[in-house]
Amino acid sequence: MARSVWCKSKLLLLSLPLLHPAVATPVPPSNGTCTRTKVAILGAGVSGIAAAQALSNASISDFIIVDVNDYIGGRVKHTTFGKNATTGQPYTVELGANWVQGLGSEGGPENPIWTLAKKWGLTNTYSNYSMIQTYDENGAADFAGMIDDYETAYTTVEQDAGTILTQNYQDRTMRTGLSIADWKPKKDVRKQAAEWWSCDWEYAYSPDQSSQTWSIVNYNDTFYQFSDENNFVFDQRGFNYFIESEAYTFLKPNDTRLRLSTNVTSITYSSNSVTVTMADGSCITADYAICTFSLGVLQNDVVEFTPVLPAWKQTGIEGMQMGTYTKIFFQFPPAADGTFFWEHGDDPTTQFFLYADPIERGWYPVFQSLSAPGFIPGSGIFFVTVVYSQSYRAEQQSDDATKVEVMAVLRKMFGNDIPDPVDFMYPRWSMEPWAYGSYSNWPPGMSLETHQNLRANLGRLWFAGEATSVSYFGFLQGAYTEGQTAGNAIAGCLNKKRTLCKNEASYQVIRGCATSERQLTTNNGWYVSSMLTFGFEE
């Protein structure tokens, strides 16, 4: 699909010089110790570690990585859960990122996350999405064919997205594109479930809330460029093992350049330095800084910026969406024959189970078995995923309330005689103050220029993360490539390589498609001016 800007928008590009006019002078706090370094990297997730590695590869060792957590990995986070009946030891399950999505094809490029997963020997298994059983409130119900019907409509949506891009047409919602392609679930709950499986589960938002154009770009740039394979990682060392291992190719044990359990509260930036202040009153003054905070953190004003972020930057931050993807884990006891209740259907090796609720779309819809062959046989671990509004609701209520709701669904699917779980747990990403969500999504109507304002630097302060990636927002490869990009740019500045040392573009003014007063006429349905004030009283 050809690349192009959309909508013939009128915009003003800020072509700023490399050294911006000074906007503030960082002042170290008087009640703490301030460390001087060349580069401060804010966040030890995939982006932060990729940025640090890029600096290290450019022979720049004077940097400091800070992270509020006590581990390397960010939203690639795991925990222990359940118990192995044989060893008595708990299992490791992933609370956040879980897949390597789009691997690589012979003769083509390879996803860098897949390259690293192989390098560090992560245990993983191919997710076979055709191994699915479907259910409704009456039990097993065969409507898997509706997923194929969605895919047929999606082909048209995909082609239309290419036309929108190449012809500079206005973006629209995925819902609009799907409806034009004659996919209209309306009140058909089975169709709704098939759509949730194909769209919501990927983007953490419904088709009504996702851009048709950039959803297709996002999907194609990974699965058409690399491959259509998704491999589920269940390495008992944790998915973040590859991030930690890569970090320690350039960090030393107990390296003072890595400061975990360090909470950043404010950032003061200018054209010649950045000062980062921590909750304990200490600070770091750096020639450059790379902010890899999640979009959710930026949107929730967790960190104070001085000077206040300019309006164009704030619009870029607020314009993108932060989705929440919640995995709710159960461990069930086996039956007397050693099998589990979900293995008693037509295919005991089934990986996925899709539920169509008769009342509410997206009500505990997709279950996955970690006891399936190739995963962790005998573990009895079964988990369900919810996103967006259902995530918010589940994460704000008690564990017991959520357990009751999900068990009611499971008993509709598999019968009332299924056992109670022996363990239960789920994370609360939308309430995590260092994340406020799981990953980003591109909303309908958001322009490429507005997104660029999200990733644009402010003087010596740079931004990187999965949300700043055009091609790979929401993916680990997006976090990795954006971290590398920022690290390489700053390395170019420090090493005085002018071809690499360039500011990111930013756009102070972005206008929409209807920018001329000549268009605001009755010919276009504009019958009453919104500028009239006859009924307004002060």
Side-chain angles (χ1 to χ4, degrees):
M1 189 158 47
R3 301 300 178 88
S4 173
V5 297
W6 63 19
C7 195
K8 296 183 180 177
S9 60
K10 295 183 179 180
L11 49 91
L12 177 62
L13 171 63
L14 296 183
S15 299
L16 299 177
L18 184 62
L19 296 181
H20 297 207
V23 290
T25 301
V27 178
S30 58
N31 60 339
T33 302
C34 203
T35 306
R36 181 78 197 189
T37 189
K38 288 189 180 298
V39 186
I41 299 170
L42 312 181
V46 173
S47 278
I49 297 305
Q53 187 175 53
L55 292 169
S56 183
N57 290 343
S59 301
I60 296 168
S61 59
D62 186 3
F63 56 78
I64 296 175
I65 307 169
V66 299
D67 197 286
V68 68
N69 293 305
D70 61 0
Y71 64 92
I72 291 173
R75 283 169 277 161
V76 185
K77 181 181 182 181
H78 63 269
T79 191
T80 54
F81 175 72
K83 185 182 291 186
N84 185 312
T86 302
T87 67
Q89 297 299 309
Y91 293 101
T92 295
V93 295
E94 299 298 330
L95 301 175
N98 223 142
W99 279 267
V100 182
Q101 295 179 286
L103 308 184
S105 303
E106 186 175 351
E110 186 169 89
N111 185 334
I113 304 301
W114 180 235
T115 303
L116 294 172
K118 292 189 298 181
K119 176 180 178 180
W120 297 108
L122 290 184
T123 308
N124 62 90
T125 293
Y126 171 63
S127 284
N128 188 344
Y129 296 118
S130 65
M131 298 182 68
I132 182 173
Q133 295 180 18
T134 53
Y135 297 79
D136 62 18
E137 75 277 14
N138 298 312
D142 185 9
F143 59 90
M146 291 182 175
I147 298 173
D148 296 330
D149 294 339
Y150 177 94
E151 294 301 325
T152 299
Y154 181 88
T155 301
T156 299
V157 173
E158 186 177 54
Q159 293 170 345
D160 286 350
T163 301
I164 291 170
L165 276 173
T166 57
Q167 300 300 315
N168 290 337
Y169 291 162
Q170 188 176 23
D171 186 31
R172 55 198 184 198
T173 65
M174 275 291 288
R175 169 68 63 222
T176 301
L178 287 165
S179 294
I180 290 172
D182 205 29
W183 172 264
K184 300 179 180 182
K186 298 187 182 297
K187 298 299 181 181
D188 188 326
V189 297
R190 295 181 175 186
K191 275 193 169 184
Q192 290 176 0
E195 179 181 88
W196 197 100
W197 161 271
S198 300
C199 186
D200 299 43
W201 198 31
E202 180 71 29
Y203 297 105
Y205 277 88
S206 73
D208 307 84
Q209 299 162 300
S210 298
S211 162
Q212 176 181 346
T213 310
W214 297 100
S215 294
I216 299 300
V217 167
N218 180 249
Y219 184 92
N220 287 3
D221 282 2
T222 282
F223 297 111
Y224 285 15
Q225 179 186 196
F226 301 130
S227 73
D228 62 358
E229 297 169 295
N230 285 289
N231 279 27
F232 186 92
V233 176
F234 57 95
D235 197 295
Q236 295 303 287
R237 298 167 296 183
F239 196 176
N240 73 322
Y241 178 76
F242 88 93
I243 311 171
E244 290 182 321
S245 299
E246 203 64 19
Y248 283 104
T249 62
F250 56 86
L251 293 175
K252 302 172 184 177
N254 302 314
D255 201 313
T256 57
R257 295 176 297 171
L258 177 63
R259 301 185 181 182
L260 301 177
S261 302
T262 302
N263 186 18
V264 175
T265 56
S266 65
I267 300 171
T268 303
Y269 61 94
S270 76
S271 60
N272 44 41
S273 65
V274 179
T275 291
V276 182
T277 303
M278 269 56 77
D280 63 3
S282 64
C283 74
I284 299 170
T285 296
D287 294 338
Y288 293 88
I290 304 173
C291 178
T292 71
F293 299 150
S294 80
L295 178 68
V297 166
L298 295 176
Q299 289 179 337
N300 281 277
D301 302 325
V302 176
V303 176
E304 180 182 2
F305 289 88
T306 303
V308 174
L309 299 179
W312 59 264
K313 185 70 175 180
Q314 291 177 334
T315 301
I317 290 170
E318 301 297 343
M320 200 71 170
Q321 296 169 331
M322 190 65 176
T324 301
Y325 184 103
T326 308
K327 287 176 282 187
I328 302 170
F329 292 90
F330 293 80
Q331 185 181 37
F332 288 100
D337 62 0
T339 63
F340 299 95
F341 62 82
W342 59 87
E343 298 174 342
H344 299 164
D346 294 338
D347 185 356
T349 67
T350 296
Q351 293 182 20
F352 300 100
F353 304 80
L354 178 63
Y355 171 69
D357 188 77
I359 299 174
E360 188 161 352
R361 182 183 182 278
W363 184 260
Y364 302 112
V366 175
F367 293 81
Q368 290 180 248
S369 169
L370 290 189
S371 287
F375 292 87
I376 315 176
S379 67
I381 298 176
F382 203 53
F383 70 95
V384 62
T385 303
V386 290
V387 301
Y388 189 55
S389 59
Q390 292 293 2
S391 284
Y392 301 156
R393 194 190 57 78
E395 291 183 8
Q396 290 175 22
Q397 67 187 16
S398 69
D399 281 17
D400 287 343
T402 299
K403 184 193 299 184
V404 167
E405 290 175 350
V406 184
M407 287 302 299
V409 169
L410 288 173
R411 289 189 166 118
K412 289 177 181 178
M413 294 169 67
F414 298 103
N416 290 325
D417 58 347
I418 66 172
D420 289 326
V422 295
D423 206 355
F424 174 81
M425 175 274 300
Y426 63 98
R428 287 170 165 80
W429 285 109
S430 67
M431 303 172 70
E432 206 56 84
W434 57 269
Y436 283 120
S438 301
Y439 53 82
S440 65
N441 183 52
W442 198 303
M446 180 176 176
S447 70
L448 183 62
E449 293 83 10
T450 301
H451 182 269
Q452 176 59 26
N453 283 347
L454 164 62
R455 67 192 300 272
N457 63 298
L458 294 167
R460 296 291 183 92
L461 176 62
W462 290 67
F463 294 81
E466 54 83 13
T468 68
S469 174
V470 174
S471 292
Y472 312 123
F473 59 88
F475 288 114
L476 286 177
Q477 56 266 30
Y480 183 81
T481 56
E482 288 292 286
Q484 277 198 326
T485 298
N488 286 329
I490 290 173
C493 296
L494 292 172
N495 290 331
K496 301 188 184 305
K497 295 183 178 180
R498 306 295 293 185
T499 57
L500 299 176
C501 184
K502 294 180 179 179
N503 285 308
E504 288 287 345
S506 59
Y507 301 88
Q508 188 170 8
V509 177
I510 303 172
R511 295 186 172 91
C513 295
T515 59
S516 171
E517 291 185 7
R518 288 177 296 178
Q519 294 175 276
L520 306 180
T521 66
T522 56
N523 290 337
N524 290 322
W526 186 276
Y527 298 107
V528 178
S529 172
S530 60
M531 310 302 176
L532 299 177
T533 58
F534 298 121
F536 180 76
E537 296 182 4
E538 294 186 4

